Each structure stands twice: as structure tokens, then as C-alpha cells.
């Protein structure tokens, strides 16, 4: 059965791959990105997920054309690297505004329509960085931790309306995310933080560039969008990272923090 599907962050990576795969399977896909990047067999919508007015207009237009929204995939995101202490208000607002509030804005725009139709599915993209606080990616982790808590609460609130919420936690993938990360010059130049930040960046970028292909993540998103009874949480990562998520949930907080410090040499 054809579904009407909205995906944010479709200019590259997970979003673009998922949009193209879902469209090729006969679904009506609307891909949202700031530049309105073209997607094969899908409709392209140019907007910033921080712009609530633009989102409201876009959702109203989609409802007018399609009469419903079956699936929302909140994938839009970006990363800022640097020491938490040295992050500027502008960097914090951009990180939290794009990753977390962008997700909130989209959910609040589609939920009235999903409640009215008494059906729908929301898939929020978190990260293994939303399960553990990653050094020098602290506000990225904070934005994903926020999505985790938001999604758990949302799932409990909207299930009785026939709306499913799923949370997807990717590990490292070889996408354009690495090249587009904004790194703090202030941190790089700082005598205390700079050397460790540089080492951490080298480690992070090596793992990301050697990560899984975005097609694998897109395939999982297709399955979640199409399956009858989706789970709440999915980890999509290599074996080592999957094991680290499992470890985080069973060992003491002190032990896991020490493991992170040692791994990142912080």
C-alpha cells in the first residue's frame, strides 16, 4: 500500500538514500532539506527545520495535496565539535536548534493530522552518541539525548491514537556528515584542550570514514516504515559499537565514563 512519507535532511546521506529507496517502492515521498536538493522520484521541499512557520505551510500544502501523512522520518541533523566550556551561544543554539528542536517542530506540525486520522508513524534518528556522551561532541550528544527522552515520552502519549514512535540509533557511517562538521577554532587553538581535541578528531573521523554505507541505514528505515509492528528502539551499527551500547546499559556509570576517557585519551 502506498504511504505518504516525509523525510527531513534529504540533501545527502541517510535521508537521500532512504527517500530514493522508499520512492522506488511506490511510496509518495516528500524530501525536506534547506536547499531542496533533487531526489529521484520524490518531491523536494526547501526549508529549514528550525523555521516553524515554513514547516506549518509545507505540512498544510502536503495535506491539501495528499489528504494524509503516514510516516515522518526526522533525520535532519548536523554536528559541531569542540570543548563544552568554549562553545559559543550561537554554536549551542545551532546544534540544539537543528537536531532537537527541528525534530520537535516537525512532530508538532504532523501530529494533529495523525491524531485526526488515528494512524501514523514517527521515526526519530538519534545516535549512539545519544546513549553515551561523546567527548568534544558534547552538544551533539546532548541534542541526541534530548531526542531519546522526547521520543520515549511521545511514544507513551500518542500510542492510543494509533501512532507508533520509533527511535533509531546509528553508529558510524561513511556519509557527508564528517566533512560538514563544524569544528571550534577556539578549541583547536586552546593550550589545554587543543592537543586532545585534535587527537579525538582524528579518531572520530577515521571511524566515521571507515563506517558502514548509508544504504544499510536506508534499508533499515524502509523496513521500519513498512512493517506492521515496529519496535521502539533500533541500533544500527557495527558489532563493536553495538556491543558498546549494550555495555553502557549493564555496567556502572563510573566504569563506563572511565572507559570513554581512556578511549578518547581525555
Amino acid at each position: 500500500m502506498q504511504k505518504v512519507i516525509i523525510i527531513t535532511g534529504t540533501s545527502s546521506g541517510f535521508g537521500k538514500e532512504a527517500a530514493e529507496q522508499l520512492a522506488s517502492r511506490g511510496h509518495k515521498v516528500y524530501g525536506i532539506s534547506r536547499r531542496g536538493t533533487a531526489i529521484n522520484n520524490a518531491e523536494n521541499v526547501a526549508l529549514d527545520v528550525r523555521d516553524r512557520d515554513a514547516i506549518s505551510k509545507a505540512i498544510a500544502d502536503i495535506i491539501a495535496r495528499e489528504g494524509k501523512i503516514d510516516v515522518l522520518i526526522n533525520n535532519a541533523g548536523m554536528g559541531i565539535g569542540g570543548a563544552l566550556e568554549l562553545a559559543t551561544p550561537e554554536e549551542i543554539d545551532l546544534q540544539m536548534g537543528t537536531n532537537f528542536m527541528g525534530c520537535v517542530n516537525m512532530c508538532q506540525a504532523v501530529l494533529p493530522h495523525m491524531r485526526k486520522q488515528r494512524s501514523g508513524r514517527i521515526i526519530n534518528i538519534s545516535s549512539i552518541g545519544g546513549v553515551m556522551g561523546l567527548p568534544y561532541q558534547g552538544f551533539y550528544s546532548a541534542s541526541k539525548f534530548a531526542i531519546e527522552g522526547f521520543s520515549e515520552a511521545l511514544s507513551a502519549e500518542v500510542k492510543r491514537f494509533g501512532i507508533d514512535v520509533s527511535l533509531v540509533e546509528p553508529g558510524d557511517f561513511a556519509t557527508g556528515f564528517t566533512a560538514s562538521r563544524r569544528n571550534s577554532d577556539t578549541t583547536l587553538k586552546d593550550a589545554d584542550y587543543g592537543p586532545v581535541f585534535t587527537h579525538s578528531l582524528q579518531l572520530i573521523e577515521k571511524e566515521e570514514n571507515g563506517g558502514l554505507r548509508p544504504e544499510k541505514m536506508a534499508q533499515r528505515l524502509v523496513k521500519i516504515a513498512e512493517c506492521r509492528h515496529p519496535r521502539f528502539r533500533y541500533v544500527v551499527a557495527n558489532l563493536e559499537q553495538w556491543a558498546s551500547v549494550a555495555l553502557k546499559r549493564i555496567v556502572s556509570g563510573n566504569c563506563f565514563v572511565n572507559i570513554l576517557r581512556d578511549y578518547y585519551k581525555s
Side-chain angles (χ1 to χ4, degrees):
M1 179 183 296
Q2 184 192 62
K3 296 179 183 291
V4 178
I5 301 175
I6 299 173
I7 309 177
T8 67
T10 54
S11 61
S12 64
F14 305 151
K16 187 174 187 294
E17 288 288 342
E20 292 183 347
Q21 288 191 28
L22 285 162
S24 73
R25 294 173 67 84
H27 299 295
K28 185 66 175 182
V29 176
Y30 287 84
I32 291 176
S33 63
R34 283 182 299 132
R35 297 184 294 274
T37 304
I39 307 163
N40 293 336
N41 301 314
E43 301 287 338
N44 309 307
V45 181
L47 64 81
D48 189 324
V49 293
R50 295 174 295 169
D51 187 338
R52 293 175 65 90
D53 290 339
I55 292 170
S56 295
K57 182 179 183 304
I59 298 303
D61 289 345
I62 293 170
I63 289 293
R65 294 176 64 177
E66 309 294 343
K68 64 174 184 172
I69 296 170
D70 297 303
V71 181
L72 166 65
I73 302 177
N74 278 308
N75 169 70
M78 54 85 65
I80 297 177
L84 290 167
E85 177 190 342
L86 302 178
T88 66
E90 293 77 18
E91 289 171 337
I92 298 168
D93 288 347
L94 177 60
Q95 182 71 95
M96 300 302 292
T98 302
N99 291 13
F100 177 56
M101 286 309 301
C103 173
V104 172
N105 293 341
M106 291 299 301
C107 287
Q108 289 185 332
V110 305
L111 277 168
H113 304 287
M114 290 184 172
R115 277 196 296 116
K116 184 177 180 180
Q117 66 199 30
R118 284 303 195 258
S119 67
R121 184 163 300 172
I122 294 173
I123 304 169
N124 291 333
I125 309 301
S126 176
S127 167
I128 62 170
V131 179
M132 59 193 76
L134 302 178
Y136 300 103
Q137 298 181 85
F139 283 108
Y140 174 81
S141 277
S143 71
K144 296 300 187 178
F145 267 80
I147 288 174
E148 297 262 337
F150 173 79
S151 299
E152 288 184 7
L154 184 64
S155 177
E157 291 179 5
V158 302
K159 182 66 176 178
R160 65 191 181 97
F161 304 127
I163 303 169
D164 295 313
V165 177
S166 291
L167 189 64
V168 183
E169 298 164 343
D172 286 325
F173 279 78
T175 68
F177 185 87
T178 303
S180 63
R181 180 187 287 109
R182 303 187 185 194
N183 293 315
S184 165
D185 286 337
T186 304
T187 303
L188 286 167
K189 295 173 182 176
D190 187 85
D192 287 328
Y193 289 119
V196 180
F197 179 39
T198 299
H199 170 80
S200 295
L201 272 179
Q202 292 171 347
L203 182 61
I204 291 164
E205 291 176 358
K206 179 181 178 181
E207 291 178 341
E208 289 174 345
N209 289 326
L212 301 174
R213 299 299 303 167
E215 293 86 350
K216 181 178 178 64
M217 178 66 169
Q219 290 165 4
R220 180 58 63 89
L221 292 175
V222 169
K223 289 181 179 179
I224 300 170
E226 293 183 340
C227 73
R228 292 184 62 187
H229 302 292
R231 302 200 309 268
F232 172 70
R233 179 175 275 110
Y234 296 82
V235 179
V236 186
N238 63 33
L239 182 60
E240 180 182 0
Q241 292 172 343
W242 186 92
S244 71
V245 172
L247 183 67
K248 170 69 189 299
R249 290 172 176 151
I250 61 176
V251 304
S252 71
N254 285 342
C255 178
F256 196 82
V257 168
N258 286 333
I259 292 171
L260 277 180
R261 288 171 182 159
D262 182 63
Y263 184 75
Y264 286 98
K265 308 302 182 188
S266 58

